[in-house]
Amino acid sequence: MPELPEVEVVRRGLEPHLVGRRLQRVTVLHPRPVRSHPQGPSGIRAELEGRVVDAVRRRGKFLWWAMDDDALVIHLGMSGQFRVNAPDDPLLRNTRLLFDLDDGAQLRFIDQRMFGGLTLVRDGARDPVPHIAVDPFDPSFDARAVARRIASRRSTIKRALLDQGLVSGIGNIYADEALWRARVHFEHPTDRLRLSRIVAVLEAARTVMREALAQGGTSFDALYVNVNGESGYFDRTLDAYGREDQECRRCGTSLVRRRFANRSSYLCPKCQRPPRSTP
């Protein structure tokens, strides 16, 4: 699933094509991405056509297009993409929506697995996702304040990092990378971690995501690309995620994969010692 750097890459790619542009025509090729709209495809089409996009914004993994007082909120899910095309370009497989812009370009939403969605939020241009916490790129992000909230929870550190109500934008990949950099085991109880160590994890997450953004994000397959179809290259420099049985770049120990919920965690068993209560 795209995480903060990948979604920010998409936002930056959309911005020059969308801001100031009028949505001349909206074509819904499949109803699932607009399933949350009460009137379905015809309703969202009627509410979007003729609107001008004032800004393209993001918080965590959510994008939104601000249009006057309203916002079109977008979650890419596992495989959502936007591509900018000419109207007569061949449609890629799994194209779900078409947005014809007043400059002659056509923006296309493509989603193979169809977990993504677009929701129109009335009077939500300023804050259409109030349930989502600020992310580490937000100017108002306070690592110590977030660390205190994390420390007050009876949870484990990786679960806390993935809780979008505590800190948004961090997913499985960058959680593993941040924990590796901070030398913290993913199962360490949050109420047994010093505040300084939690801050170190949050700062590591911000740093690694900034590095990923500079390389266009992390692409393991064609399900994540920018609006021009380009992949990100940060997967080539990951230190932990996906590197099972490869040497730790810090100590040379073979990295391991452990079960985490219905996913996996990758870590160095020497650099990231488990808490004493964890076998």
Side-chain angles (χ1 to χ4, degrees):
M1 179 181 294
E3 301 180 29
L4 186 157
E6 292 76 47
V7 179
E8 177 62 13
V9 167
V10 173
R11 190 201 69 78
R12 293 182 183 185
L14 288 173
E15 192 170 49
H17 295 284
L18 269 181
V19 174
R21 299 267 67 87
R22 186 178 302 276
L23 305 179
Q24 296 281 67
R25 184 171 63 175
V26 179
T27 305
V28 180
L29 301 177
H30 197 290
R32 184 166 175 79
V34 296
R35 57 193 177 274
S36 63
H37 197 281
Q39 285 76 47
S42 61
I44 200 165
R45 184 170 61 245
E47 294 199 62
L48 290 179
E49 287 183 343
R51 304 293 295 270
V52 174
V53 178
D54 300 316
V56 182
R57 300 192 173 108
R58 179 198 55 76
R59 182 183 302 156
K61 305 175 189 179
F62 284 83
L63 287 168
W64 67 90
W65 305 351
M67 299 172 292
D68 294 324
D69 294 329
D70 304 331
L72 182 66
V73 179
I74 301 148
H75 195 281
L76 299 176
M78 296 184 70
S79 58
Q81 305 175 16
F82 280 103
R83 301 287 286 273
V84 178
N85 289 90
D88 57 352
D89 287 344
L91 288 180
L92 293 178
R93 187 180 179 185
N94 304 314
T95 301
R96 309 304 184 188
L97 287 96
L98 308 175
F99 300 88
D100 289 290
L101 308 179
D102 62 356
D103 63 351
Q106 186 177 76
L107 182 63
R108 301 174 177 181
F109 181 68
I110 302 160
D111 192 0
Q112 176 180 323
R113 298 178 182 173
M114 289 202 294
F115 291 116
L118 295 83
T119 303
L120 185 65
V121 179
R122 288 291 188 181
D123 300 318
R126 291 180 62 85
D127 188 8
V129 287
H131 60 295
I132 300 298
V134 297
D135 62 62
F137 285 12
D138 193 294
S140 66
F141 182 78
D142 184 337
R144 291 192 65 82
V146 175
R148 284 192 291 270
R149 289 198 295 272
I150 290 175
S152 70
R153 299 293 182 94
R154 293 186 62 84
S155 184
T156 55
I157 184 61
K158 184 170 180 180
R159 289 183 186 277
L161 291 176
L162 300 184
D163 184 341
Q164 303 299 294
L166 288 172
V167 54
S168 66
I170 305 173
N172 206 41
I173 295 173
Y174 298 114
D176 281 358
E177 292 298 298
L179 291 168
W180 181 87
R181 291 190 179 203
R183 302 182 184 228
V184 176
H185 193 281
F186 71 98
E187 288 187 324
H188 208 297
T190 51
D191 58 357
R192 288 170 46 195
L193 274 171
R194 294 191 305 274
L195 196 66
S196 60
R197 293 200 76 192
I198 301 176
V199 170
V201 172
L202 293 170
E203 294 292 353
R206 177 158 47 189
T207 299
V208 73
M209 289 194 295
R210 186 178 292 117
E211 293 171 4
L213 177 59
Q215 296 187 43
T218 299
S219 296
F220 287 109
D221 53 36
L223 295 184
Y224 162 67
V225 294
N226 194 358
V227 296
N228 58 7
E230 292 182 351
S231 298
Y233 296 99
F234 194 68
D235 60 302
R236 301 177 184 180
T237 55
L238 290 171
D239 291 308
Y241 187 86
R243 298 190 64 239
E244 183 182 14
D245 296 329
Q246 298 182 46
E247 287 188 359
C248 173
R249 294 194 172 111
R250 190 163 44 216
C251 72
T253 304
S254 292
L255 299 180
V256 297
R257 179 171 58 128
R258 296 287 182 258
R259 289 183 182 179
F260 171 75
N262 60 344
R263 289 172 283 188
S264 297
S265 281
Y266 297 87
L267 69 153
C268 173
K270 183 177 179 181
C271 295
Q272 297 166 266
R273 300 285 188 181
R276 290 181 181 179
S277 61
T278 302

